[in-house]
Amino acid sequence: MPNGNPSDARRRQAATGVLAIAMPGAARLEAIFGERAARQALRELGDAADALIRRLLAQHEILEHHRQDAAGRWSVLFRLRRNALARDLQETCGAIEAAGRGLAQPLPAQVLGAGTGMRMPLGLLARPLAADAWAAQGGQCPPGWLQPDLLAPPGGALEDGAAEAVEAILAGRQGVRTLLQPIVRMRDRAVVGYEALSRGPQGSVLEQPDRLFAAAGACGRTLDMELHCAALALRRTRGRLPPGRFLALNLGPQALACATQRLPLQGRRDVLFELTEHLPLDGAMELSAAVTGLRAQGFGLALDDTGCGFADLDTVRVLRPGIAKLCITVVRHAGQGALLDADIAGSVAQLHQLGCRVLAEGVETQAQHDALCACGVELAQGWLYGRPAAVDEVLPPSLA
């Protein structure tokens, strides 16, 4: 007789996914390099793809591998390890995909040379997929998954006029708006800080933050846009935060590494930097010196979307953030059953052992609030406590 609860077995099977890398234009390499050189280049590219896959999945279990060098396709079936933190498979795949697409960008140029490599980018995707569905496809991705439109590089295609709009925003000719959302202490709902959120010019195609930063990414201006938005938030809140409250700024790894050189931080001791991108563990190690420097100057660090990444606990051990923000999808499971709440409580306990306070993001209901309090979560933000609002609606003109 098999051991274990059938629902647990279904849960384990469901916690599998596929990570795939492909070069849609691989067939054209023979015309460029000749047959023998093209085969060699694709083997080398396959080795590079393998190394990237293992780097991205270092915290998970690779179950099966499917390598098609000649077709420019490499994919694996992997199992999500759930014994560290409560995780959501869909969100974890999204984090792996976001990091992986950026890391895959330079590989074609490294193997094929800058000219050809720039014209033939790699695509990468990560998707939940049950093991039996993988087997039914003969150890490959389902039809259509490796189409070029699904494997687009970070940022995707630019909409008409978007490049000009990005440049206008960075030059200050069009305005980015800064909104603040309160962060509260759960036991009494007292406001302890605010997260700064950016919106593009009102009524424009770049008003929503996903479009704004996607357009910046497609123009190669992600770093500049992150720093621009952070600088505006700092200027607009200088001298206006009540004593004891902090300002959380969202930055990716590159922006975080140069924050003290590029941002107007003079005299500020009320700033918390929130690392918004998940990194493989070696990437977090590369960032540790910059984080140590920020901490020495009195700035705090939060790790965003904990439970949606792929090296969360190890990243916490390396970077030692003061706050770990639980992934919004994990938070939505709060109060939906004893097993789910036990998973969250276990995650919170492990984060506490590593010296973090835990912040629940996206709390919308009283039931979620009550369940998260019972799990030991100290801080929260979400519509239950307050929606984002313009700086001037939240803060007084000055404290003088």
Side-chain angles (χ1 to χ4, degrees):
M1 294 286 291
N3 295 322
N5 188 315
S7 64
D8 289 339
R10 287 193 295 272
R11 182 182 179 188
R12 284 193 296 272
Q13 183 185 37
T16 59
V18 167
L19 174 58
I21 299 176
M23 175 176 277
R28 292 163 41 209
L29 289 180
E30 187 173 330
I32 298 171
F33 294 120
E35 182 181 356
R36 180 178 298 180
R39 284 202 306 267
Q40 178 62 29
L42 285 168
R43 280 196 296 270
E44 292 178 11
L45 203 54
D47 292 340
D50 273 355
L52 176 56
I53 286 170
R54 295 184 187 283
R55 182 183 179 193
L56 291 167
L57 298 178
Q59 303 299 308
H60 300 299
E61 181 183 359
I62 295 176
L63 301 175
E64 295 182 36
H65 189 282
H66 194 83
R67 179 166 172 169
Q68 296 175 288
D69 288 350
R73 295 183 177 187
W74 307 275
S75 55
V76 298
L77 178 75
F78 69 95
R79 177 181 289 127
L80 188 69
R81 286 184 181 155
R82 307 184 67 95
N83 56 356
L85 292 178
R87 295 180 184 272
D88 179 87
L89 177 61
Q90 182 76 44
E91 295 291 338
T92 300
C93 285
I96 291 171
E97 183 173 299
R101 288 188 173 189
L103 294 169
Q105 272 189 308
L107 297 184
Q110 292 170 9
V111 174
L112 305 174
T116 303
M118 292 298 289
R119 296 196 305 272
M120 302 182 67
L122 286 179
L124 181 147
L125 61 80
R127 297 284 191 276
L129 185 70
D132 54 359
W134 169 267
Q137 296 294 329
Q140 300 186 53
C141 290
W145 275 27
L146 294 178
Q147 295 303 312
D149 58 331
L150 288 178
L151 294 163
L158 273 174
E159 297 182 34
D160 290 343
E164 292 79 4
V166 166
E167 295 305 322
I169 288 169
L170 293 175
R173 297 193 301 273
Q174 293 188 35
V176 167
R177 293 174 296 137
T178 302
L179 308 183
L180 299 180
Q181 184 172 32
I183 296 170
V184 305
R185 188 170 54 211
M186 293 201 79
R187 70 171 185 268
D188 58 5
R189 302 197 188 195
V191 175
V192 296
Y194 305 93
E195 181 178 2
L197 303 169
S198 297
R199 301 290 185 268
Q202 195 162 10
S204 75
V205 296
L206 301 186
E207 180 174 3
Q208 294 306 310
D210 54 345
R211 287 178 171 266
L212 176 66
F213 287 100
C219 296
R221 304 298 298 273
T222 297
L223 174 61
D224 295 325
M225 186 63 75
E226 287 185 0
L227 292 171
H228 179 69
C229 292
L232 290 174
L234 286 165
R235 294 188 184 105
R236 290 164 176 169
T237 59
R238 180 176 289 278
R240 300 176 66 180
L241 291 180
R245 296 184 186 178
F246 61 83
L247 178 73
L249 295 175
N250 295 297
L251 294 179
Q254 282 186 292
L256 189 68
C258 64
T260 55
Q261 293 79 36
R262 302 278 299 273
L263 291 177
L265 293 165
Q266 295 78 10
R268 299 294 292 255
R269 291 295 181 269
D270 53 1
V271 174
L272 176 79
F273 291 108
E274 190 171 316
L275 181 60
T276 58
E277 293 179 31
H278 286 276
L279 297 168
L281 183 57
D282 53 357
M285 290 176 176
E286 292 171 2
L287 197 59
S288 61
V291 170
T292 299
L294 288 170
R295 190 175 291 115
Q297 296 182 57
F299 302 114
L301 178 71
L303 184 66
D304 195 19
D305 285 341
T306 306
C308 295
F310 42 90
D312 288 314
L313 283 182
D314 285 331
T315 301
V316 171
R317 292 186 184 99
V318 170
L319 297 182
R320 295 291 176 178
I323 293 175
K325 296 184 72 171
L326 285 183
C327 172
I328 192 170
T329 311
V330 173
V331 168
R332 285 174 182 160
H333 292 157
Q336 294 185 7
L339 289 176
L340 291 169
D341 287 351
D343 272 352
I344 296 171
S347 296
V348 171
Q350 291 190 73
L351 292 166
H352 284 166
Q353 288 172 5
L354 292 171
C356 298
R357 289 188 294 170
V358 179
L359 190 158
E361 187 171 25
V363 181
E364 296 182 353
T365 69
Q366 184 63 40
Q368 289 171 345
H369 174 96
D370 294 341
L372 291 162
C373 279
C375 290
V377 175
E378 299 102 321
L379 304 172
Q381 67 184 104
W383 287 4
L384 182 65
Y385 317 108
R387 299 196 179 200
V391 173
D392 290 342
E393 295 177 20
V394 176
L395 301 179
S398 72
L399 298 179

